[in-house]
Structures are given as C-alpha cells and as structure tokens.
Amino acid sequence: MALILSVLEQGMIYAIMALGVYITYKILDFPDLTVDGSFPLGAAVTVVLISKGISPVLTLPISFVLGALVGTLTGIIHVKLKVRDLLSGIIMMTALYTVNLRIAGRANFPIYNEETIFNNGFLNSVVPAALAPYTTVIVIFIVTIICKYLLDAYMSTKSGFLLRAVGDNPTLLTSLGVDKGLVKIVGLAISNGLVTLSGSVFAQHQRFFDISVGTGTVVIGLASVIIGTSLFRKITVLRVTSSVVVGSILYKACVALAISMGLESSDLKLITAILFLLILVIAMDRKKVQ
Amino acid sequence: MLELVNVNKNFNSGTINEMCLFKDFNFKVEDGQFVSVVGSNGSGKTSMLNLICGSMLVDSGKILINGEDITYKKEFLRHKNVGRVFQDPSKGTCPSMNILENLSVADNKGKPYNLTRGTNRKKIEAYKDMLRPLNLGLEDKLFTKVGALSGGQRQALALLMSTMTPIDFLILDEHTAALDPKTAEIIMELTNQIVREKKVTTIMVTHNLRYAVEYGNRLVMMHEGTVVMDKSDEEKKNISTEDIMRVFNQISVECGN
Ligand SMILES: Nc1ncnc2c1ncn2[C@@H]1O[C@H](COP(=O)(O)OP(=O)(O)OP(=O)(O)O)[C@@H](O)[C@H]1O
Ligand SMILES: [Mg+2]
C-alpha cells in the first residue's frame, strides 16, 4: 500500500513536469533540455521562500512564473539568436545549474521543520484523522488535476490554437499574419512554467533541495510522454493530457518495480536510461505495425 | 497596386553555382486584376511570389504595395492582408486540428489570438454554408481531423481559409497541380468565384494553359526571370492555348533546345 501511494505521489508530481515536456516535445517538436535546469529551479526557489516564511501555496505560482521566464529565455536564444533547439536547451540548463546553486546558496538545503503544501496548520485542522495517510496523495492529485485542466483550457483558446498549429504547420501561421517565433516562445514559457511548478511540489514533498535533483528530469518527462501518448493512442475518450499523466504514473511504477526487484536506488539513473531506451524501441515498433 | 521595381535577385552569390534569376525586373499588378502566370520550370514564377510575400528578400530593388515600401517588411506582417495557397495541400491547413478548428483559426486572422475560446458554436452553421457548395461533403465532417482528408479536400479548405478574412491580394502557386482533374476543376471554379465575389487582386501561377486562358483578365508568361508575354483584357480574351504553346516553342527554339 505504501508503495502504491508512493508511486502515485511521485508519478503525479512528475506528471506536471511531463505536461510541460509534452508541449515542447510533442507539440513544438523541440527536445527541450532546459527542463533539467528549470525543475531544480522550482525546488531551489521553493525551499528558500519557505525557509523565509512565505506561504507554501504561494511558492507554486511564483515557481510557474520564474519557469515561464526561463522558458522565454530559451525561446529567445532559439528564435531570435537562431541557436539550434538542443543547444539552446543545453545553454540554459548549464547556466541554470549556477543560478540554482546561487539561489539556494548551497548544494543541499533541507526544510524538514517548515510548513509545506502537504503539512501545514490548515490541512492538519481540516483533514480527518482517518484520511491523514492520504493527505499527500490527495493534495498532489488536486494540484496535478488543476494544472491538467488549465492546460486543456488553454489549448482550446485562440492562443492555444496557434500553439497547436505551430508545430504542425508553421507556414500556416505565417500565412495568418502571425509571428511563429513568438508562438514558439510562448510554448516554451508555458512548458517550463509547468516544469518549475513541478519542481516546487517535488521539493515540498521531499522536504529538501539538492542540486542534483534535476539530472535526468527530461528523460523522465520524455518517457512519460511517450508511454502516455503511444499506449493510449487508440482511446480517444482520454484527453492527451490525461494520457501523459497516466504515462508518468506508469513510468514511476516501472521504476519502483525495478527497485523492488533488488536494484538499489543508486542504480536509478541507469534504470531510467534503460527504461527509456526500451520505451523508445517499443513505441517505434508500434509505429511500424501501424 | 503591387509594384516590383528594378528587382535583382541572385542565388548562391559568391560561389561557382552563382545564378542570376532577376535582373532589373519590373512588374506591376493593378487593383482588381486576376493575373494568370505561366512559364517553364525554373522560369522564376515561384521566386517572384516568394519575393512578393517576403519568403525571400531581394538583393536590390523595391517592392511596393499601394505605394508603401514593403521590400524589407517581415514575412508574417505582409500576410496580414495577403492570402496564399501553395501547391502542397498540407501547407494551408493544420492536420492535427479538425475542420471547425482550422476554419476558426483562419476566421480570426487580423484579430488578436487571445485567451477567449478558439471555436464559436454560433458560427458552425455559417461554416457549413461555406462548405456545402464545394460538394465535397466537408459540411458533415466539421469534427474530422484535417489530416484525415484527401489532398483535394484539404486544398479546398486551404483556399477557403486563405480568403475568409478581407485581403488585398491572393497569391496562388500551382494550387491545383496536386489534384485529380475533376477536383482541380472544382477548386479552379471555386477560386474564380471567390476572386469575383471578393474582387480581390489575384496572382495565379499555373501550368494548366487552359486555366490560364479561361480564367483571369491578364495573362503573363515568364522565361528565365523575365516577362516574355503580357496580355490583358480584350487582348487576353482573343488568346488561345495554341497561341501560348507557339510562344513557348519559339522561346525553346531560340534557346537552342
Ligand atoms: N532558394 C534557392 N536557392 C537557389 N536557387 C534557387 C532558389 N530558389 C529558386 N532557385 C532557382 O531559381 C530558378 C527559378 O525557380 P522557381 O522556383 O522560381 O521556378 P518556377 O518558375 O516556380 O518553376 P516551377 O514551374 O518548376 O515551379 C530555378 O533555376 C531555381 O533553381
Ligand atoms: Mg514553382
């Protein structure tokens, strides 16, 4: 039971990040490595703000805005300075490593005794004792669902239509008199906003920031997106964003399974890489069959 | 009015493949004209449209629309009052969005793309009325992804989308070339109808000499970056496909092939 809860918790936290990766990888066709820097950015900002007494709930929108700024920068590097997509992300990821260290002031920053969105006076007073073990998973569920629905809502606005069109057919945007570069920047901003928000939730869940928490985030995001979109391609009742969330949970389940079979958590990155490779190969096989 | 004044355009400047396409090229299109452009492969038709639309910049010279110098205006800004349909049907629509969403996004051209709803249910009937005369059955497929439509259906949609909002110029580059003869006919009729109804100034590149003769009120033939034939109104009415073929052959002979 504890294992299932932990998979759900982690899966849904990373799902918010995966929604961001979905925007760049699937919609913009932009493999954005900024993610490895913007995820720990959310964690760094959050532990610092919480330790300074800022309300934990407030750290979520603040993280989103900061992430959106970071995504905007990646977009400007790519669109205005005409640096290739992968390289733009690598530049930002590298720069953010220092930025994150500066924000936190050190490589490891625990907040064991502070209030978080999972553990605060308000929650402790309203949640009945019987539900207490589930508080965390419920809070994460609410945050993730809100993110998913906001993203769905955005995608059905006029601005969201442009975002959906830009990856598909950039020529159409030009024909419509729209600056496709700007639309890409907006997409990168929203994507990294979500990733950073996810990093904020992650830090509050783990109760610490560590400079290495970002390493490999993009791989987890890509794996979740690919699992979600290729597994549920046929099921049209499920929105793509929902499939991405489920994909993220499934991915965490796979990792948990691998660990429970005797692998140690120090093997985690290796498991991540091998799993990702497997997923890529399997997803490609399915494409060929079609 | 559209004017190209003393336009020069070279490709691959400074390499052994350097090639001069336009040399002091001048071209003028009056308001309300429907110009058919014909010419052999590589004669510079697409390049001319690219220069006008800003997909490519001139080396020197000027491009004016109604007197305004747009030579270095950004491509997307020029399209605010220009509609364009490409030879490739997939360039004019968005495959992952359905017909309704495609029409809605085109319908909003010139207005802000903000956070209001992308589709408007109240407009569905109007869209259906637009699609019905095409006789392609699109009016019953509003919620079908455009990626699942045939090339002809997509091209019809692309043409409607590019002319939904008020535009000063319509630019068509072999927009019936990828279609079967019957669908090409439908699209060509639709084009003619739209151009007449909206009185939009149009430049249509085509390899179909019959279309070039039958439609439009001006016919231009290009060859190696120059205009070798230019007939409008009465003069054009008396021209036949045979006349055009004759000029074609004459040029080929002069060039020694
Ligand atoms: N981007 C480019 N780089 C180099 N050469 C180019 C470029 N665009 C066009 N050209 C050259 O300019 C000439 C005219 O090409 P263009 O595409 O305008 O011809 P066209 O009249 O549209 O021919 P078609 O009937 O085949 O479409 C060709 O010789 C082509 O090789
Ligand atoms: Mg051409």
Side-chain angles (χ1 to χ4, degrees):
Chain A
M1 190 65 206
L3 186 68
I4 294 176
L5 269 186
S6 149
V7 164
L8 281 176
E9 289 171 11
Q10 298 244 353
M12 284 192 292
I13 292 175
Y14 276 108
I16 303 172
M17 178 271 298
L19 287 174
V21 172
Y22 165 72
I23 296 177
T24 45
Y25 179 70
K26 275 283 170 185
I27 300 184
L28 294 181
D29 197 16
F30 186 124
D32 181 23
L33 297 186
T34 314
V35 168
D36 272 27
S38 50
F39 185 81
L41 170 69
V45 166
T46 299
V47 292
V48 170
L49 287 179
I50 286 182
S51 74
K52 290 222 158 49
I54 305 274
S55 145
V57 177
L58 260 184
T59 63
L60 301 181
I62 294 175
S63 297
F64 182 88
V65 171
L66 285 174
L69 272 174
V70 163
T72 307
L73 279 180
T74 308
I76 290 174
I77 292 174
H78 173 61
V79 172
K80 301 288 178 200
L81 306 182
K82 311 217 184 306
V83 176
R84 275 180 42 196
D85 46 11
L86 265 178
L87 298 183
S88 313
I90 289 176
I91 291 171
M92 285 302 290
M93 176 186 88
T94 310
L96 280 170
Y97 188 89
T98 304
V99 173
N100 294 338
L101 265 182
R102 283 292 175 104
I103 289 174
R106 53 197 133 117
N108 191 295
F109 194 134
I111 45 164
Y112 295 128
N113 302 318
E114 310 286 347
E115 292 205 330
T116 65
I117 50 170
F118 305 112
N119 184 354
N120 53 53
F122 172 73
L123 270 184
N124 296 343
S125 66
V126 292
V127 176
L131 273 180
Y134 307 106
T135 318
T136 305
V137 80
I138 291 168
V139 171
I140 295 174
F141 179 77
I142 292 171
V143 174
T144 306
I145 286 300
I146 290 176
C147 289
K148 183 201 110 70
Y149 275 105
L150 282 179
L151 183 58
D152 283 343
Y154 173 72
M155 285 303 184
S156 58
T157 65
K158 295 194 168 91
S159 174
F161 275 21
L162 289 186
L163 183 56
R164 286 164 63 188
V166 73
D168 246 10
N169 183 1
T171 314
L172 177 64
L173 291 205
T174 306
S175 299
L176 291 174
V178 173
D179 183 358
K180 56 177 187 261
L182 194 65
V183 178
K184 270 193 188 174
I185 295 175
V186 170
L188 280 161
I190 297 175
S191 165
N192 280 287
L194 287 169
V195 173
T196 309
L197 170 58
S198 169
S200 169
V201 179
F202 178 85
Q204 303 192 45
H205 185 245
Q206 302 290 313
R207 299 179 152 260
F208 68 79
F209 158 81
D210 187 282
I211 189 65
S212 69
V213 293
T215 318
T217 311
V218 71
V219 175
I220 301 175
L222 288 173
S224 308
V225 169
I226 293 169
I227 294 179
T229 52
S230 51
L231 218 52
F232 303 107
R233 201 180 305 159
K234 291 277 148 54
I235 311 171
T236 44
V237 284
L238 210 61
R239 285 235 185 197
V240 197
T241 45
S242 310
S243 339
V244 170
V245 173
V246 177
S248 172
I249 295 169
L250 283 180
Y251 175 79
K252 276 292 159 193
C254 292
V255 174
L257 198 70
I259 291 179
S260 74
M261 286 193 318
L263 288 160
E264 297 193 12
S265 53
S266 57
D267 302 331
L268 205 61
K269 295 291 183 231
L270 184 65
I271 301 171
T272 304
I274 293 172
L275 255 180
F276 185 46
L277 181 64
L278 274 177
I279 290 158
L280 277 179
V281 172
I282 294 169
M284 251 186 286
D285 269 354
R286 293 174 61 94
K287 237 181 227 165
K288 261 184 235 147
V289 171
Q290 276 198 331
Chain B
M1 190 168 67
L2 168 77
E3 288 171 281
L4 280 76
V5 186
N6 293 333
V7 164
N8 287 288
K9 179 71 195 175
N10 293 294
F11 290 114
N12 307 319
S13 303
T15 70
I16 45 165
N17 294 323
E18 176 154 2
M19 177 217 158
C20 172
L21 180 59
F22 294 118
K23 191 164 190 318
D24 289 326
F25 180 74
N26 287 285
F27 190 67
K28 208 185 257 190
V29 179
E30 303 285 347
D31 285 344
Q33 273 185 339
F34 181 175
V35 190
S36 321
V37 181
V38 296
S40 47
N41 295 123
S43 54
K45 306 178 297 293
T46 300
S47 302
M48 178 175 79
L49 300 185
N50 281 340
L51 291 174
I52 295 171
C53 292
S55 325
M56 208 160 77
L57 290 181
V58 299
D59 295 340
S60 68
K62 265 190 187 155
I63 303 175
L64 308 166
I65 284 190
N66 301 328
E68 183 202 352
D69 187 342
I70 60 153
T71 316
Y72 297 105
K73 197 168 168 178
K74 285 215 176 75
E75 187 181 7
F76 77 91
L77 289 175
R78 292 191 206 193
H79 280 87
K80 291 222 185 267
N81 43 12
V82 173
R84 191 173 188 186
V85 184
F86 298 87
Q87 177 176 350
D88 179 358
S90 62
K91 278 198 173 174
T93 50
C94 181
S96 72
M97 290 173 22
N98 63 34
I99 295 185
L100 175 63
E101 290 167 335
N102 268 277
L103 287 170
S104 307
V105 81
D107 201 4
N108 198 56
K109 179 172 171 177
K111 295 187 215 107
Y113 286 88
N114 52 24
L115 293 180
T116 55
R117 272 198 73 83
T119 52
N120 184 350
R121 304 231 150 231
K122 286 190 200 124
K123 288 209 164 172
I124 288 185
E125 278 313 311
Y127 292 156
K128 283 188 175 173
D129 291 340
M130 270 177 67
L131 295 167
R132 210 164 281 122
L134 300 175
N135 279 323
L136 292 169
L138 294 180
E139 63 276 13
D140 302 322
K141 293 190 175 160
L142 277 183
F143 295 97
T144 303
K145 288 233 164 82
V146 169
L149 300 180
S150 77
Q153 291 172 324
R154 281 197 220 182
Q155 198 67 322
L157 192 61
L159 183 59
L160 287 181
M161 284 168 63
S162 63
T163 51
M164 270 175 111
T165 48
I167 45 172
D168 298 335
F169 287 97
L170 180 59
I171 306 285
L172 308 166
D173 191 356
E174 298 185 43
H175 71 307
T176 60
L179 312 178
D180 71 61
K182 194 163 153 274
T183 315
E185 207 72 41
I186 296 178
I187 300 290
M188 197 52 236
E189 260 311 313
L190 175 67
T191 308
N192 195 39
Q193 191 188 327
I194 289 173
V195 172
R196 277 161 181 266
E197 264 171 27
K198 310 217 167 195
K199 298 190 174 46
V200 52
T201 311
T202 303
I203 306 178
M204 175 180 79
V205 168
T206 177
H207 283 300
N208 187 321
L209 297 186
R210 191 169 61 75
Y211 289 166
V213 166
E214 244 171 66
Y215 299 95
N217 52 15
R218 181 175 168 195
L219 195 153
V220 167
M221 186 190 291
M222 290 184 68
H223 183 69
E224 292 184 344
T226 56
V227 171
V228 289
M229 184 167 111
D230 190 348
K231 308 276 182 204
S232 0
D233 306 317
E234 286 309 310
E235 262 191 321
K236 171 171 185 271
K237 281 194 188 130
N238 298 323
I239 253 177
S240 68
T241 50
E242 287 76 21
D243 296 331
I244 302 179
M245 275 317 286
R246 207 171 308 124
V247 182
F248 249 126
N249 292 331
Q250 223 172 336
I251 294 167
S252 308
V253 170
E254 277 165 20
C255 294
N257 44 18

